[in-house]
Amino acid sequence: RWGRIDFLKDTDIDFFIRFESLQQGFDEVCARIGIPHEALPLRNQSKHRHYSAYYDSKTKDMVYKKLKNEIEYFGYEFETET
């Protein structure tokens, strides 16, 4: 499965943390290595629109073509603003 993404070749990565579930991923890492869980601090928060508001069909297509392997491997989809 690793061969689908060039930047993962020849690595020993066995776990990924998704930014959108950073605390949950961090807690899992803490559990795996046997250290206490801590709440991650929130820093440098900014107010902005949902990311999908910055893309039109052309830019979505450009991103998909460039990052197709990563998007498919990690199961990402373009969401719509809610």
Side-chain angles (χ1 to χ4, degrees), residues 15-78:
F15 185 73
F16 291 95
I17 297 176
R18 292 176 175 260
F19 187 77
E20 59 271 22
S21 56
L22 184 59
Q23 183 66 58
Q24 181 181 357
F26 180 72
D27 292 345
E28 174 70 20
V29 170
C30 291
R32 286 180 179 218
I33 63 174
I35 63 173
H37 299 201
E38 292 186 22
L40 295 172
L42 297 175
R43 297 211 172 111
N44 299 323
Q45 289 183 299
S46 61
K47 299 247 183 223
H48 53 81
R49 297 170 27 202
H50 188 270
Y51 79 87
S52 65
Y54 300 97
Y55 292 88
D56 59 20
S57 60
K58 182 178 178 181
T59 54
K60 283 181 187 178
D61 188 51
M62 290 170 58
V63 169
Y64 184 78
K65 285 179 181 175
K66 180 75 174 171
L67 300 172
K68 179 180 186 271
N69 289 340
E70 291 86 344
I71 290 168
E72 291 178 358
Y73 184 85
F74 292 108
Y76 284 110
E77 296 177 359
F78 278 103

